[in-house]
Amino acid sequence: MTRAAAFFDLDKTVIAKSSTLAFGRPFFQGGLINRRAVLKGAYAQFVFSLAGADADQMERMRRQITAMTTGWDVAVVHEIVRETLHEIVDPLIYDEAADVIEAHRAAGRAVVIVSSSGAEMVEPIGEMLGVDRVVATRMVTRDGQYTGEIEFYAYGENKATAMRDLAAEQGWDLADCFAYSDSVTDLPMLEAVGHPTAVNPDRGLRKAAAERGWPVLEFTRPVTLRSRSAAARTPVVTGTAMGVGAAVAGIAWYARRRALRTPAGGVVAAVALPAPVPPIGRRRPRGA
């Protein structure tokens, strides 16, 4: 059993776009949304890439997505996501984020994705990245269709609550855990751990990080996982991981190095990955 974990927000922290909006075109091609929705999603993606999403924008996006998905067939959504995952998401993964994830694995920590996007998107992405757990938004389904209701919204304080519950279940001391996010809306998530780091922070989070003395990283190189040769790479903590204390120092050194190199300027509960284990306290919907 690992004694600590590293928690990662997904959008603009591990991948370069909104995971929910990235699937707009496949959903259109699969007949789930119309062309107008695709265009609105493309515009939202553009705004998100420039400035992130504040609380009001996230709330508008949540309402739009829940209204749009009402009546969708759960099995069809899962099928579309799995068929297009590598084409849509693989090229968006930040090389630097993959390095940090590898460093935490080398230090013996569990890796957890914590995202407000839907489990339908986040779970397969988590499997692709090989993370240990996923926390994401969970929507209500009935008779194989989405009802438009949200059972659990992985946003704001809810993220921190899910992290505390998962830490209690797994025996992790949050004071020894790490967290990474780009958004000021994730302050509860970052404040829940002993080692918070702002990644590609929006204006609000950059200010909060400066006030609290948190490290700030800038991730700028999206790559495909296929382009990352494990044999050609040396783990970030190699030569430094001499016991738990030295491993922590290796991660902190990596964060400072990144900060110096680049000047600072949507639906489910936790599930084990990659094994197809249903979410804790909930059966996976038919067709998942």
Side-chain angles (χ1 to χ4, degrees):
M1 180 180 293
T2 57
R3 299 182 63 85
F7 298 91
F8 290 81
D9 176 48
L10 183 60
D11 302 343
K12 292 190 72 177
T13 302
V14 175
I15 65 174
K17 292 184 179 180
S18 161
S19 51
T20 298
L21 298 175
F23 284 97
R25 187 166 298 279
F27 287 162
F28 167 70
Q29 293 169 340
L32 294 177
I33 60 177
N34 57 30
R35 188 175 299 276
R36 182 170 179 233
V38 173
L39 294 174
K40 287 177 66 176
Y43 176 74
Q45 186 72 265
F46 173 70
V47 172
F48 181 82
S49 67
L50 291 179
D54 60 23
D56 290 339
Q57 290 169 327
M58 287 291 292
E59 176 59 21
R60 286 197 297 271
M61 189 183 303
R62 183 195 65 79
R63 290 198 303 265
Q64 291 169 359
I65 290 173
T66 53
M68 181 174 60
T69 58
T70 301
W72 281 9
D73 187 283
V74 174
V76 170
V77 172
H78 280 268
E79 182 180 2
I80 291 173
V81 170
R82 297 220 176 245
E83 286 182 352
T84 62
L85 178 68
H86 287 277
E87 174 190 351
I88 298 297
V89 177
D90 196 3
L92 301 177
I93 296 167
Y94 283 121
D95 193 31
E96 301 95 330
D99 281 344
V100 176
I101 288 172
E102 287 180 4
H104 282 294
R105 286 197 186 108
R109 300 184 190 91
V111 176
V112 184
I113 296 293
V114 186
S115 174
S116 59
S117 292
E120 295 77 7
M121 280 75 74
V122 181
E123 284 187 18
I125 293 172
E127 291 179 12
M128 185 173 68
L129 291 169
V131 305
D132 300 284
R133 292 274 179 158
V134 160
V135 173
T137 301
R138 179 173 63 246
M139 295 189 69
V140 176
T141 65
R142 186 177 298 117
D143 298 327
Q145 295 182 328
Y146 296 106
T147 66
E149 300 170 285
I150 293 181
E151 182 177 347
F152 171 73
Y153 188 27
Y155 175 76
E157 184 60 39
N158 288 346
K159 282 190 176 184
T161 299
M163 289 164 57
R164 285 190 286 268
D165 290 346
L166 188 55
E169 173 195 307
Q170 297 297 314
W172 300 332
D173 185 348
L174 285 174
D176 296 329
C177 291
F178 293 70
Y180 301 82
S181 179
D182 69 293
S183 175
V184 70
T185 62
D186 280 339
L187 273 179
M189 169 184 174
L190 294 169
E191 291 173 339
V193 301
H195 304 281
T197 297
V199 176
N200 298 339
D202 58 24
R203 184 180 304 173
L205 181 56
R206 190 176 296 277
K207 178 180 178 183
E211 292 171 348
R212 292 163 171 78
W214 293 347
V216 175
L217 302 181
E218 300 288 346
F219 293 170
T220 60
R221 300 194 308 273
V223 297
T224 64
L225 289 178
R226 298 171 195 144
S227 69
R228 289 176 53 88
S229 172
R233 286 186 175 271
T234 302
V236 175
V237 296
T238 294
T240 308
M242 299 177 180
V244 175
V248 171
I251 297 292
W253 167 84
Y254 180 84
R256 290 195 298 271
R257 180 169 69 91
R258 287 291 184 192
L260 289 172
R261 283 176 51 184
T262 306
V267 211
V268 302
V271 296
L273 297 175
V277 179
I280 295 172
R282 175 176 176 268
R283 292 184 177 275
R284 192 182 294 272
R286 188 180 301 275

